[in-house]
Amino acid sequence: MNKYPLFCLSSAVFATEPVNLDWSDINFANSLINIRKSKGKKQSSVPLSESLAKELISWKTYIENKIVEIPVSVFVNLKGERLIKNGGQLD
């Protein structure tokens, strides 16, 4: 269950930006995603659609059930480690 490609397609961010996302960067109440490390080295925000919010909540639940403790990073492998930029851990 890999939500990473869906996130990239649904949020209009560069493919390398989501690996830096932490759960604290996602504001479900205001429907915004804070991108701390964008390609231009500037902080930015992108809208969080309702469908993407549902997918992220589903992902969080999945990770909770697999890892027990919610990691700081949104996109992790099954060991709870942050994915790396070159995609070597995207399994």
Side-chain angles (χ1 to χ4, degrees), residues 32-63:
L32 287 173
I33 301 167
N34 182 33
I35 307 295
R36 291 176 286 115
K37 298 177 182 176
S38 68
K39 188 171 183 170
K41 307 282 188 230
K42 295 179 183 177
Q43 185 169 318
S44 63
S45 294
V46 294
L48 174 64
S49 69
E50 186 177 330
S51 61
L52 182 56
K54 288 179 184 178
E55 289 295 331
L56 286 170
I57 290 168
S58 170
W59 174 246
K60 193 173 188 178
T61 302
Y62 175 79
I63 291 299

Side-chain angles (χ1 to χ4, degrees), residues 23 25 29-30 37 39-40 51 60 74 84 86:
W23 285 109
D25 296 325
N30 292 323
K37 298 177 182 176
K39 188 171 183 170
S51 61
K60 193 173 188 178
V74 174
I84 57 176
N86 69 8

